Amino acid sequence: MNLRILRAAGRAAVPWKNGGGVTREIASWPEGAGTADFDWRISLADVAADGPFSAFPGVDRTLTMVEGAGMDLTVGGRRALVDERCVPADFPGDLPTHCLLLAGRVVNFNVMWHRERVSASVAVVRGCLPVPVPPGAAVVAVALESPATLGNATLARYDAALLAPEAATGESASAPLTLRSEGPAALVTLRRAVRR
C-alpha cells in the first residue's frame, strides 16, 4: 500500500477569477492537472462573497460545508440549501450554480470528478474503522474538524492522507489501515469509470 500524507500547511491559496474566494487544492489526478484537465480534484474553498460558481462541463461534484453558517444555492434553477456542517451535498458541476451566503464566509470541502472517467463516493465518518482500498482505486482521508490518526500517521485539521494500491500489481496486498477520529473525517473513494 502506498500512503502519502498531504499537510494543510503546505497548500497555496489560489484566488478565484471572480474574486469571490480562494481554493486550496488537497490532491488531484493526474498530479499537477489544472482545472481544465483533471480526472478528479479535491480541495478546500473559502467562499467570501455571494456569486456564481464556476462551471465544469462533464463534472460531478460533492460539496461538504465545514465552516460557516451555510449557503443558499441555486443549481440549474433549483434551490439547494446547504446549512448543516459535514453533510455532503451532490450536484452536477456543469449546471449554472449561484451562491447566496446565509451569514458570512464559509469553507467547503470539494470533490470533483469527470463522470465519464471516474466514479467517486464521499462519506463523512467518525470513530474507529478500517479503510480498505479497492484494487485500482485511490482513497483520500481528510480530518475535517479535529485531529485524526490513520495507521501510525497523525492528521491535524485539514491534513489528508492519499492511499493507493501498489503500482506494480494494482492490488491491495496489505491489511487496511485504521482511521481513528473523534470528530468528522471525510473518506473519498475514487475509481476509474467502467467503459460500456
Side-chain angles (χ1 to χ4, degrees):
M1 180 73 59
N2 291 321
L3 170 65
R4 278 179 40 202
I5 304 302
L6 309 170
R7 298 294 180 194
R11 295 178 195 140
V14 179
W16 297 358
K17 289 180 181 178
N18 67 7
V22 298
T23 296
R24 292 174 174 85
E25 183 177 290
I26 296 171
S28 64
W29 186 261
E31 288 189 41
T35 56
D37 54 1
F38 63 82
D39 286 354
W40 56 262
R41 184 173 187 247
I42 300 174
S43 63
L44 285 163
D46 291 49
V47 186
D50 300 341
F53 281 8
S54 297
F56 291 92
V59 169
D60 284 329
R61 300 180 67 162
T62 298
L63 177 153
T64 306
M65 184 183 67
V66 292
E67 293 181 40
M71 302 168 292
D72 191 349
L73 300 181
T74 304
V75 182
R78 293 189 174 188
R79 187 177 181 214
L81 187 64
V82 177
D83 61 350
E84 289 186 68
R85 290 186 187 183
C86 297
V87 176
D90 303 321
F91 63 98
D94 39 17
L95 292 181
T97 301
H98 192 273
C99 168
L100 292 175
L101 296 172
L102 298 182
R105 169 188 171 272
V106 301
V107 176
N108 296 321
F109 174 70
N110 283 305
V111 180
M112 299 191 293
W113 65 96
H114 275 274
R115 64 180 70 98
E116 292 187 1
R117 303 178 207 162
V118 176
S119 66
S121 63
V122 180
V124 175
V125 300
R126 68 176 72 212
C128 177
L129 70 161
V131 182
V133 180
V139 174
V140 179
V142 184
L144 295 179
E145 284 191 3
S146 57
T149 60
L150 182 65
N152 294 325
T154 298
L155 304 177
R157 188 179 193 193
Y158 297 146
D159 284 351
L162 172 61
L163 298 99
E166 293 294 340
T169 63
E171 298 180 359
S172 299
S174 56
L177 296 176
T178 298
L179 176 69
R180 292 179 173 83
S181 180
E182 291 185 10
L187 282 178
V188 182
T189 303
L190 303 134
R191 298 177 174 86
R192 290 205 172 277
V194 177
R195 302 285 184 188
R196 296 183 189 259

